[in-house]
């Protein structure tokens, strides 16, 4: 589902910061070589992630769902000088692809890859986070949220991607559509949980910004 016309979408992109060349190369190679390139954050959302990270200027970032590393590099743009971004993914086949682009960036020594289920890895990280980006399997969003809230610094920001789910959250949900039902439950959780204050932005496929109280 397109929430803006193609013309408006192009206008928004053209009047936002240009896509850095390294990310443009990553974008192209993802579309050429990797399955499901639609999962890539892309130019406009990438600039949104970069801007939010620069505003927060986090020391520690946690990313749940690396894919090819596009969003990772966008978030890294706002890292504090000695900051670290821990990024978790279950796809072993993408580790070398990610690392190639991480190592070509100025943040290569600040990006730590973790391979395996996020719910197993998160308890082992042993640090507090200023910024978390959730963009992995949607069926576990609620579990991820409850796992990360206790390891967030006060005032920390949780970003949740794909929360509009191609508009399915406002359509009649099919009986067997478990993912949409869970995303709707997740959106309600973010609205009602007293530990956070939340705004849902209609950016791309929906991006929620939740601030730890």
């Amino acid at each position: 589902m397109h929430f803006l016309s193609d013309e408006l979408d192009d206008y928004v992109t053209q009047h936002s910061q240009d896509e850095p060349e390294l990310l443009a190369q990553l974008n192209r190679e993802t579309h050429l070589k990797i399955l499901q390139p639609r999962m890539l954050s892309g130019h406009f959302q990438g600039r949104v992630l970069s801007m939010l990270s620069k505003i927060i200027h986090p020391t520690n970032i946690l990313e749940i769902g690396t894919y090819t590393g596009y969003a990772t590099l966008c978030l890294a743009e706002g890292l504090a000088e000695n900051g670290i971004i821990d990024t978790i993914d279950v796809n072993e086949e993408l580790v070398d692809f990610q690392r190639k682009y991480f190592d070509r960036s100025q943040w290569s020594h600040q990006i730590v890859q973790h391979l395996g289920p996020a719910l197993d890895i998160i308890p082992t990280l042993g640090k507090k986070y200023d910024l978390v980006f959730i963009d992995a399997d949607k069926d576990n969003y609620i579990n991820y949220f409850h796992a990360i809230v206790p390891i967030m610094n006060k005032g920390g920001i949780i970003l949740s991607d794909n929360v509009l789910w191609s508009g399915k959250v406002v359509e009649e949900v099919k009986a067997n559509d478990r993912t949409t039902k869970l995303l709707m439950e997740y959106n309600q959780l973010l609205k009602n949980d007293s530990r956070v204050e939340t705004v849902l932005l209609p950016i791309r496929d929906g991006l929620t910004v939740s601030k730890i109280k």
Side-chain angles (χ1 to χ4, degrees):
M1 174 178 288
H2 293 282
F3 299 106
L4 293 176
S5 67
D6 289 342
E7 291 81 7
L8 274 177
D9 192 60
D10 288 342
Y11 185 89
V12 167
T13 301
Q14 290 166 12
H15 290 81
S16 299
Q17 184 189 35
D18 292 339
E19 185 179 41
E21 179 55 31
L22 179 63
L23 289 176
Q25 294 172 18
L26 171 53
N27 196 335
R28 286 192 293 269
E29 188 170 359
T30 298
H31 278 81
L32 284 171
K33 297 181 179 179
I34 308 297
L35 292 174
Q36 297 180 299
R38 186 174 176 271
M39 291 171 58
L40 192 84
S41 289
H43 178 182
F44 175 63
Q45 183 170 331
R47 292 304 87 205
V48 173
L49 295 176
S50 169
M51 182 65 76
L52 289 171
S53 185
K54 288 171 181 173
I55 291 169
I56 299 163
H57 198 48
T59 298
N60 289 314
I61 300 175
L62 174 61
E63 179 183 40
I64 304 174
T66 315
Y67 188 47
T68 56
Y70 190 100
T72 318
L73 290 169
C74 294
L75 294 167
E77 293 178 30
L79 273 171
E81 184 176 352
N82 297 314
I84 295 292
I85 177 167
D86 291 292
T87 183
I88 304 172
D89 206 281
V90 294
N91 192 340
E92 186 174 1
E93 294 179 358
L94 291 177
V95 170
D96 291 341
F97 185 101
Q98 299 158 4
R99 194 74 247 172
K100 177 176 69 172
Y101 280 93
F102 295 162
D103 286 345
R104 290 172 59 188
S105 78
Q106 68 189 78
W107 305 282
S108 60
H109 64 291
Q110 295 174 274
I111 300 173
V112 180
Q113 293 164 284
H114 302 269
L115 180 64
L119 291 172
D120 293 339
I121 292 171
I122 290 170
T124 72
L125 295 172
K127 62 178 75 169
K128 290 279 193 176
Y129 289 91
D130 309 297
L131 175 60
V132 175
F133 182 44
I134 305 176
D135 189 18
D137 54 313
K138 313 310 167 192
D139 289 3
N140 266 316
Y141 267 33
I142 292 172
N143 295 326
Y144 294 145
F145 176 78
H146 289 305
I148 63 178
V149 168
I151 61 170
M152 296 288 295
N153 285 317
K154 184 175 181 180
I157 298 295
I158 301 171
L159 304 175
S160 308
D161 200 15
N162 302 116
V163 291
L164 294 179
W165 206 227
S166 299
K168 291 181 182 179
V169 292
V170 293
E171 298 171 354
E172 184 176 349
V173 182
K174 297 178 180 178
N176 62 348
D177 189 351
R178 181 172 182 270
T179 301
T180 299
K181 292 176 182 176
L182 283 170
L183 273 175
M184 293 171 70
E185 185 180 345
Y186 179 68
N187 291 339
Q188 198 63 46
L189 170 65
L190 294 185
K191 166 71 174 176
N192 294 333
D193 195 297
S194 62
R195 297 172 294 179
V196 296
E197 51 186 294
T198 290
V199 61
L200 197 165
L201 305 176
I203 292 173
R204 203 162 173 258
D205 195 27
L207 181 70
T208 300
V209 180
S210 303
K211 181 177 179 289
I212 300 292
K213 293 182 180 178

